[in-house]
Amino acid sequence: RLEVLDAAKTANFTGAVVARQSGMTLTAEQLEIGYTGGGGANPLAAATSGGTAQNIRSATAIKNVVIVTADGRKATSDKSIFDQQANSMTLLGSVVLSQAGSVLHADKVVADLSAHQTHVTAANRVTGHFVPAPRPDRAAAPAGLAALGSSGSATDISANSLELADEGGEAVFQGTVLVSQKGNRLSGERLAIDTTKRRMTMSGPGRVSGVFEGTVSGAKSAKASKSDTGFSTVSSGVGGHFADLSADSGQPTNIEADSLTVEDEKGQATFTGKVIVVRGENRISAGVLNVFYAGGAAGSALQRITAKDHVVIRAPDNQTASGDNLLYEPSKNQLLITGNVTVSQGGNIVNGQKLVVDLDTGESHFVTAAPPDGEPQAPGGPKPGRISVMITPEGIKQIGGPGSAPAAPVKKAAKPKTGLIGSDVWVAPN
C-alpha cells in the first residue's frame, strides 16, 4: 500500500516494503518518505522526483528493518532514519551489524555518510564477535567488521562505545574494554585499532591487564618442551591482536602494564609502563616487555621475548635475579640476563655482567669476558669481566647447605667481614 499526503509532504509505503538504491537494499514493514516540492496534480512525482533522490529530505523505516550493501554488510534494527540534510543514517533498537561471519550488537548506530564515520553505543554494552579472515593484501583490505576480524582466531570485544572511520581504517572501543580470544582475556579503558597499518593499542586511564590461559598438551618431547615458557605463540591480526601467551604446563600467565601496542606488520607486541608478568610462583617486572613473532598460514610463532629497564625476576625459594636487559629465545629455550646482573638467595649474592639460564636443565651460569683495556669500573660494582660473590653462613642454611645446629648469636660489637673465608663457602658433593 502507498499513501501520499501532499500537504504533509510524506509518502507512506506499508507491507513488505523493498527499496533499492546504488547497490543497497532496504526491507521493512513500513517506510515513510519525507519530500520537498509537490503541490501539483501528481504528488507521487514530487515524492519520487522522477526516480532521483534530490527531493527526498528523510526516509524512516519501521519494524523488521534490514539493510544490505553491495559489499556484503548487513544491518538489522527496529527503526532506521535517513536525514538528507545531515546526510546521516541512524539505526535504533536491537541493532545487529554483520559481515562475513563477524557480528556487532548495539542499541544505537549513527553513521555520518559525508565523513564516513560511525558512532556505536548501547544502554548496557556494545558487544562484537569477530571471526578470522584471510590475511588481505593492502590493495584489497576488507572494510568494516571484516577488517576487525582479520586475526588468527575468533575474538570477542565488548565496550561502552565504538567509533569507526571507514576511510582511515580506524576503530576505537572505549569504556572498560574487554577482549577475549581462545580463552585469553585482556582489559583496558581504550582499544584503538588501525586496520590499514594492522596496529592495535590498548591503554588507560588505568592499567591494562591480561590473563593468558595455559593449555595442557599431555606428554611432551624434549624438543616440544622448549615452548613451555608461558609465551608460546602470538596471535596475529587486528581483531584480537594481543599476545596468545598460553603455556603447555596449564598455568595461566598474568600481565599488567600501562599500555599494550601490537604491530602485526612488524610482528611485535610491546607492553610498556611498570610491566608485571606473573606465572605460578614466578614474577618478572620491567619497564618494557617486547614479544616478537612471525605469522604464517597455521598461525603465529614466537621468535623471542625481550625486556629492559630494571628487569627483576623473582622465583620460588627466595631466589631473585635482576639486570638491565632480558632475552628469551625459544630455539635455545634459555634466558639471557645482561647488564649489572645480581642474583640473590637467602643472603647469598652474586654479581656479574651476563647470566645464562637453561630452561631445559634448570642450570644457570655467569659468562665472563676479558674487559677492554682502560674500561672504567662501575662505582660499587664488580670489575668488568669479573664475578663478585658474597655468601653468608645463614644464607647457606636457607638454600639447604650443611649444618643443622643453630647459628651462634651475632654480638652487637662484631665487625662486618671484609672478605670470604673457608667457612663461608660450601661445595655440594658430585
Side-chain angles (χ1 to χ4, degrees):
R1 182 186 179 199
L2 167 62
E3 181 181 29
V4 179
L5 302 176
D6 196 44
K9 299 296 186 291
T10 61
N12 296 307
F13 299 84
T14 57
V17 181
V18 179
R20 296 184 178 90
Q21 183 183 22
S22 301
M24 179 184 295
T25 301
L26 178 147
T27 60
E29 293 301 316
Q30 181 178 337
L31 177 64
E32 179 182 282
I33 302 293
Y35 61 92
T36 59
N42 190 353
L44 180 58
T48 60
S49 187
T52 68
Q54 55 183 287
N55 280 25
I56 294 178
R57 55 181 172 82
S58 65
T60 302
I62 301 174
K63 194 174 181 181
N64 299 326
V65 180
V66 179
I67 301 174
V68 181
T69 64
D71 61 358
R73 306 188 207 188
K74 181 179 179 180
T76 64
S77 64
D78 297 333
K79 184 177 183 179
S80 71
I81 304 171
F82 169 71
D83 187 322
Q84 174 67 38
Q85 184 175 1
N87 197 24
S88 66
M89 174 70 81
T90 301
L91 305 178
L92 299 170
S94 302
V95 181
V96 179
L97 307 180
S98 59
Q99 183 183 18
S102 296
V103 181
L104 185 72
H105 296 266
D107 293 334
K108 183 178 181 181
V109 175
V110 180
D112 187 325
L113 303 179
S114 298
H116 301 285
Q117 295 181 342
T118 304
H119 180 63
V120 183
T121 57
N124 293 319
R125 301 276 288 170
V126 174
T127 61
H129 177 75
F130 308 102
V131 301
R135 185 180 178 89
D137 295 331
R138 286 185 177 273
L145 300 182
L148 295 179
S150 58
S151 67
S153 302
T155 304
D156 294 294
I157 304 177
S158 67
N160 292 342
S161 66
L162 167 63
E163 299 284 344
L164 288 167
D166 282 349
E167 289 189 346
E170 296 179 344
V172 179
F173 294 85
Q174 297 192 81
T176 314
V177 183
L178 302 176
V179 181
S180 63
Q181 185 183 64
K182 294 174 62 177
N184 304 315
R185 301 176 300 280
L186 183 70
S187 64
E189 290 299 316
R190 186 177 188 272
L191 174 64
I193 301 174
D194 188 324
T195 60
T196 302
K197 297 180 180 179
R198 302 183 64 83
R199 175 188 176 98
M200 182 210 82
T201 300
M202 177 75 89
S203 59
R207 298 277 281 169
V208 174
S209 61
V211 179
F212 306 97
E213 296 292 344
T215 57
V216 179
S217 59
K220 299 178 296 178
S221 64
K223 184 176 182 180
S225 68
K226 292 184 179 296
S227 65
D228 183 16
T229 63
F231 302 93
S232 63
T233 60
V234 176
S235 295
S236 63
V238 295
H241 239 159
F242 60 87
D244 180 9
L245 307 180
S246 58
D248 288 337
S249 68
Q251 288 185 311
T253 299
N254 295 267
I255 300 182
E256 184 179 301
D258 288 339
S259 67
L260 164 63
T261 298
V262 180
E263 298 175 275
D264 198 48
E265 293 295 336
K266 296 181 179 180
Q268 179 176 343
T270 302
F271 296 84
T272 58
K274 299 180 181 178
V275 183
I276 299 174
V277 182
V278 178
R279 177 166 170 257
E281 298 183 60
N282 300 285
R283 173 189 173 103
I284 300 175
S285 61
V288 179
L289 177 73
N290 290 298
V291 181
F292 299 89
Y293 59 95
S300 298
L302 176 67
Q303 292 184 322
R304 68 185 185 278
I305 294 174
T306 65
K308 63 180 182 178
D309 297 343
H310 193 58
V311 180
V312 179
I313 304 174
R314 292 181 174 86
D317 300 327
N318 199 29
Q319 301 178 66
T320 301
S322 63
D324 297 333
N325 303 282
L326 176 146
L327 169 65
Y328 166 67
E329 296 179 285
S331 60
K332 300 177 181 178
N333 203 30
Q334 71 175 22
L335 289 176
L336 176 63
I337 306 172
T338 59
N340 302 309
V341 182
T342 299
V343 179
S344 64
Q345 182 183 23
N348 303 314
I349 300 174
V350 184
N351 294 306
Q353 289 299 312
K354 182 185 291 187
L355 175 67
V356 179
V357 182
D358 189 317
L359 298 176
D360 283 331
T361 64
E363 296 177 350
S364 61
H365 63 276
F366 279 88
V367 178
T368 61
D373 293 337
E375 180 178 324
Q377 177 182 353
K383 294 180 180 180
R386 302 280 288 175
I387 298 171
S388 68
V389 183
M390 183 183 74
I391 305 178
T392 66
E394 186 62 29
I396 290 176
K397 293 176 182 179
Q398 290 188 34
I399 62 174
S404 58
V410 179
K411 297 180 181 179
K412 292 183 180 180
K415 295 182 180 181
K417 297 177 181 179
T418 58
L420 293 174
I421 61 175
S423 63
D424 290 330
V425 181
W426 170 64
V427 181
N430 291 332

